[in-house]
Amino acid sequence: MTVPIIAFFNNKGGVGKTSLVYHLAWMYRNLGLRVLAADLDPQANLTAAFLEEERLEELWEGNNQPNTVFRCVQPLIRGIGDIATPEVEHIEERLGLLVGDLLLSGFEDDLSAEWPGCTDRKERSFRVISAFWRLLQKAAEVHQADVVLTDIGPNLGAINRAALIAANYVVVPLSPDLFSLQGLKNLGPTLRRWRQEWLERLEKNPAPDLKLPQGQMQPVGYIVLQHSVRLDRPVKAYQRWIARIPNIYREAVLNESENSTLSIAEDPHCLALLKHYQSLMPLAQEAHKPMFHLKPADGAIGSHVQAVQSVYGDFQKLAHKIAETVQIPILTNF
């Protein structure tokens, strides 16, 4: 039985994607699920959010154990074996991390070169392209995970194609601005093309015993982050970008016709409008904990106390909405 994989992706960077994955991983853990957070972004920002620098140095420089994504796929890259069984980093009870690695960018060439090989029925090509999915499933088995949340870098390269092929579901974080919406226009058609191309390749798998991802990449919805009106952005411009999101998502990602009367408040594909939480984020980063776990000892005093409670409610609601959409049961006694 495979574990559901939810990818968080927008090919426009700077929309708060990594912070979103980080906080949802903690929230699902709080709600009683066994969660595997997987860092498939070569920038490894999710890993840096979870771990202190001293631990990162131990992992990246201390040995050659399969304790990062790159080291797990390295035998495949070198042609000396298949993916290694990963060592999942223990973060907290029920929460594990598949550690990212800046060296992962070295896998890009292999993933690009082997993509055409799948159409020629080459087994190695299928092993390389499916490496992330098989690695995530192995890590989920090691951790006994109920769900896998993957953080993916902001581009449309070969690494992200393989990472998205591995995903059952895709959540799109957005900012209400021109750049984010232009990225969304690119993202939708690309996802559909990759899905179709992978389905065509699946039929040519020469190894019946090689389990492969189905390449679902089912869109779950979008999340608008940093939606408080910024002082350097006119209110009218902000409102104009917000108003355009539902139809751009509908057309670009779902390939559906426009609904000119649809507002973001009524859009069933809008999973949440999340505030920037400007005052809490620096405290959380310093404490290496999610914003909703901040205590007075971390500096969360005065008005911050109410803000912490508000953040908890926002992420709890979002976590339930995503879980309901992808049909992941959450225990009610947590």
Side-chain angles (χ1 to χ4, degrees):
M1 183 177 176
T2 60
V3 178
I5 297 169
I6 306 174
F8 294 78
F9 178 63
N10 188 336
N11 59 307
K12 164 66 177 69
V15 296
K17 168 181 56 63
T18 299
S19 175
L20 176 65
V21 178
Y22 176 78
H23 282 83
L24 279 172
W26 275 104
M27 179 54 69
Y28 280 124
R29 176 258 173 202
N30 287 359
L31 294 173
L33 294 182
R34 293 191 62 84
V35 184
L36 175 68
D39 194 347
L40 299 185
D41 182 353
Q43 294 298 313
N45 290 323
L46 182 64
T47 297
F50 274 110
L51 301 177
E52 300 280 356
E53 189 170 319
E54 292 78 7
R55 181 56 182 155
L56 278 175
E57 185 177 358
E58 290 175 8
L59 289 166
W60 286 346
E61 297 185 353
N63 56 53
N64 288 309
Q65 299 303 308
N67 54 15
T68 75
V69 173
F70 177 74
R71 286 179 181 157
C72 288
V73 300
Q74 199 170 24
L76 190 59
I77 296 173
R78 295 174 58 193
I80 59 172
D82 204 347
I83 56 172
T85 300
E87 295 178 4
V88 175
E89 181 76 5
H90 174 78
I91 302 297
E92 191 75 48
E93 184 185 5
R94 301 188 304 279
L95 178 57
L97 171 69
L98 185 55
V99 174
D101 196 323
L102 274 69
L103 295 176
L104 185 61
S105 57
F107 196 30
E108 186 98 38
D109 289 345
D110 293 80
L111 288 165
S112 181
E114 297 295 346
W115 183 246
C118 292
T119 61
D120 296 329
R121 302 179 185 273
K122 293 180 179 178
E123 182 175 340
R124 171 175 164 77
S125 297
F126 281 96
R127 289 193 179 276
V128 169
I129 299 300
S130 66
F132 285 151
W133 179 78
R134 293 184 295 117
L135 176 58
L136 292 175
Q137 292 299 328
K138 276 192 175 187
E141 182 180 353
V142 169
H143 184 60
Q144 298 180 309
D146 298 306
V147 64
V148 178
L149 307 183
T150 63
D151 187 25
I152 302 175
N155 63 71
L156 295 173
I159 285 179
N160 287 355
R161 178 173 58 196
L164 286 161
I165 284 170
N168 301 96
Y169 307 100
V170 181
V171 174
V172 181
L174 291 169
S175 288
D177 56 44
L178 171 64
F179 305 99
S180 195
L181 295 187
Q182 286 298 112
L184 188 60
K185 290 178 183 179
N186 261 345
L187 182 151
T190 302
L191 285 183
R192 290 198 299 277
R193 186 180 78 249
W194 285 349
R195 186 187 300 116
Q196 183 57 42
E197 290 175 353
W198 180 242
L199 289 176
E200 292 168 359
R201 283 159 169 77
L202 272 178
E203 299 173 357
K204 300 178 180 180
N205 176 20
D209 62 334
L210 177 61
K211 291 184 179 180
L212 296 172
Q214 295 305 297
Q216 288 173 265
M217 291 184 262
Q218 179 182 327
V220 174
Y222 61 87
I223 299 166
V224 182
L225 296 116
Q226 302 178 0
H227 80 282
S228 55
V229 179
R230 282 169 29 189
L231 296 178
D232 62 341
R233 183 189 303 165
V235 173
K236 285 185 179 179
Y238 166 85
Q239 292 173 337
R240 180 162 61 95
W241 297 124
I242 279 282
R244 291 185 62 187
I245 289 174
N247 276 313
I248 291 178
Y249 181 86
R250 186 175 294 268
E251 292 176 350
V253 178
L254 303 181
N255 202 26
E256 295 178 358
S257 58
E258 179 180 338
N259 180 350
S260 58
T261 63
L262 188 65
S263 71
I264 200 163
E266 301 164 335
D267 188 3
H269 303 298
C270 178
L271 299 170
L273 292 169
L274 294 180
K275 300 182 183 71
H276 190 284
Y277 310 119
Q278 278 178 313
S279 60
L280 294 183
M281 188 62 77
L283 296 177
Q285 290 171 338
E286 179 69 23
H288 267 282
K289 60 173 63 173
M291 291 181 286
F292 45 71
H293 282 181
L294 289 170
K295 305 291 184 186
D298 302 313
I301 55 177
S303 62
H304 284 147
V305 175
Q306 181 63 40
V308 167
Q309 295 172 352
S310 175
V311 175
Y312 191 96
D314 289 345
F315 275 95
Q316 185 182 49
K317 184 178 178 182
L318 173 59
H320 276 284
K321 192 163 187 178
I322 294 174
E324 181 182 343
T325 304
V326 304
Q327 297 183 321
I328 297 173
I330 292 178
L331 298 175
T332 56
N333 59 340
F334 271 90

